[in-house]
Amino acid sequence: MNKNYKKIMSLIVACAVAVTAAPIFELPSARVVNAAETSASDTSTVSYDLNRDGSKDQITFQTVRTDAASTESPYSDFNVQVNGRATSLNISEAWYYTYAYEFFNMGSKTFLFVDLTGDDDDGAKRIYSWEGSDFALQVDLNDEYKEYKGVCYHLTAEVGKVRGIRLVMNVRAQFTGLPMTDLKREYLLRRGKLKPLHQTSRVVRYHAVSEDEGSGARYLTASRKIITYRTKKCKKRSVKWIKSQSRVRVSRIYIGKGYTSYYVKGRGWYKVKNDVFKAEKLFSGVYYVG
C-alpha cells in the first residue's frame, strides 16, 4: 500500500474521535522513567452533577503509565474516582496515549462514554452508567463488534444523538467484507439498561477506497459476481445475485456466529467468514488499512 495513503487514512480515523462534542483531554508527552520507577500517573478533575440533585460532583480521571508500555502508547490503566472516594471505574491493560470522555443523560440516569486511543487508533470504547456510588458497564463497543476477533479492526466511536431514551452511536471500523465504514448503532434505555434497538447496524458511507470510487462514497463497485442470500443469517440463497461491475450500496451489517453479513437493497445479503479478508476481492479500488 502507498505509505502516504496509509498515513492519510490513519489521520482520517483519528479525526472520527476528535470531532466529537466530548471534551478531549490531551495527555502530556511521555516523560523519561527512571530505572527505579515502575509507574507514574497523571490526573485531571472535572465537575458534573452525576446524581442529578443540583450539586456537582468532582470526577477525577487518572492515567497510569508503566515502564513496560511503549512510547507510542505509554499508558496502561485508566481510573475514575468520584468525590475523592476509591476508584469507581477501572480499565486495565488498555495501552493508550490519549483519552476522550462525554457525560450525557437518559431518563433518570447519567452516562459516561470513555474513549481510549492507542496505537493505530485502537482502544477501549465503552459506555458506563452512574449507579449512585460506582459506574457500571453498559456497552462495550469493541466486544459488540468483535474487534480483533475476526469481524472488524481499527474501531473508533463517538456519541451521536441522545433523544429521550434513545441513543445513537457513530462508529467507524474496517470489516472483512467492507472497507473502512461509518455506521450508526442505536440503543434504547429499558429498565435501566441500554439495549440495541436492532440486531443490525446502519451503514452511512465508506472510506479507504480509490480516487475513482471516492473516499466517503455511498456506493461501491462489485469486481466479481457475489452470491446473495434471502436473510441476514444466510441460510437460503437469493436468485438476485450481484453482477460484476454493479454499483452496490450496503445499508446494513449483521454480526453472526463465525461470519458477518451485509445487506444490499434489492439483492439480499452476502456473507464473509471471520478472519477472511474479502473486501479487496469483492469491490474495486478498496484498500486495507493496517
Side-chain angles (χ1 to χ4, degrees), residues 20-23 100-104 111-115 158-160 162:
T20 179
Y101 64 89
E102 182 171 357
F103 294 103
F104 60 93
F111 291 86
L112 169 64
F113 171 61
V114 174
D115 175 2
E158 64 180 11
V159 177
V162 180

Side-chain angles (χ1 to χ4, degrees), residues 1-261:
M1 180 191 296
N2 185 286
K3 292 184 177 179
N4 290 330
Y5 180 83
K6 182 175 179 180
K7 291 180 180 178
I8 291 171
M9 286 310 306
S10 295
L11 289 174
I12 290 174
V13 178
C15 288
V17 176
V19 170
T20 179
I24 295 180
F25 182 82
E26 292 294 340
L27 295 172
S29 58
R31 61 174 179 259
V32 176
V33 179
N34 296 327
E37 184 178 2
T38 58
S39 67
S41 66
D42 295 293
T43 61
S44 176
T45 301
V46 299
S47 298
Y48 193 85
D49 186 0
L50 294 174
N51 293 315
R52 318 270 288 276
D53 58 3
S55 178
K56 289 188 176 181
D57 299 284
Q58 301 301 305
I59 301 97
T60 298
F61 300 101
Q62 181 187 53
T63 63
V64 179
R65 59 179 129 203
T66 68
D67 50 11
S70 67
T71 55
E72 292 83 6
S73 300
Y75 301 94
S76 60
D77 290 19
F78 181 77
N79 302 318
V80 179
Q81 298 173 329
V82 177
N83 297 329
R85 298 197 304 271
T87 300
S88 297
L89 185 159
N90 168 260
I91 301 176
S92 60
E93 297 185 5
W95 311 117
Y96 62 102
Y97 62 83
T98 190
Y99 69 88
Y101 64 89
E102 182 171 357
F103 294 103
F104 60 93
N105 299 326
M106 293 181 69
S108 61
K109 281 186 175 291
T110 298
F111 291 86
L112 169 64
F113 171 61
V114 174
D115 175 2
L116 304 184
T117 300
D119 192 24
D120 290 328
D121 301 307
D122 301 313
K125 309 291 183 289
R126 300 178 183 178
I127 302 173
Y128 296 84
S129 61
W130 177 247
E131 301 297 333
S133 59
D134 291 299
F135 285 101
L137 179 62
Q138 288 270 0
V139 175
D140 185 334
L141 287 162
N142 309 83
D143 184 61
E144 283 195 4
Y145 283 96
K146 298 180 181 179
E147 185 181 23
Y148 289 99
K149 295 180 180 178
V151 173
C152 80
Y153 302 82
H154 308 305
L155 183 145
T156 64
E158 64 180 11
V159 177
K161 294 182 180 179
V162 180
R163 292 182 179 177
I165 59 171
R166 188 168 179 168
L167 167 67
V168 179
M169 293 296 295
N170 298 328
V171 178
R172 178 176 292 183
Q174 176 178 314
F175 291 84
T176 53
L178 282 179
M180 191 66 73
T181 302
D182 287 348
L183 308 170
K184 299 286 187 182
R185 180 70 163 164
E186 299 180 72
Y187 300 88
L188 283 181
L189 183 62
R190 295 173 175 169
R191 297 181 180 178
K193 301 293 183 182
L194 283 174
K195 300 293 184 180
L197 183 60
H198 305 287
Q199 291 183 322
T200 60
S201 298
R202 180 163 59 90
V203 176
V204 179
R205 64 181 63 83
Y206 320 103
H207 302 275
V209 294
S210 68
E211 292 182 0
D212 293 336
E213 299 295 337
S215 185
R218 296 169 68 99
Y219 294 92
L220 297 172
T221 301
S223 59
R224 55 182 286 186
K225 180 176 69 175
I226 303 174
I227 298 173
T228 58
Y229 297 82
R230 296 180 183 180
T231 66
K232 60 181 178 287
K233 295 188 177 181
C234 299
K235 293 183 178 180
K236 293 185 178 181
R237 290 188 178 185
S238 168
V239 296
K240 299 180 179 180
W241 293 6
I242 299 170
K243 297 180 181 179
S244 177
Q245 302 306 309
S246 296
R247 202 180 186 192
V248 172
R249 181 180 177 184
V250 177
S251 60
R252 290 277 175 180
I253 290 179
Y254 172 74
I255 299 174
K257 292 183 177 180
Y259 70 94
T260 301
S261 58

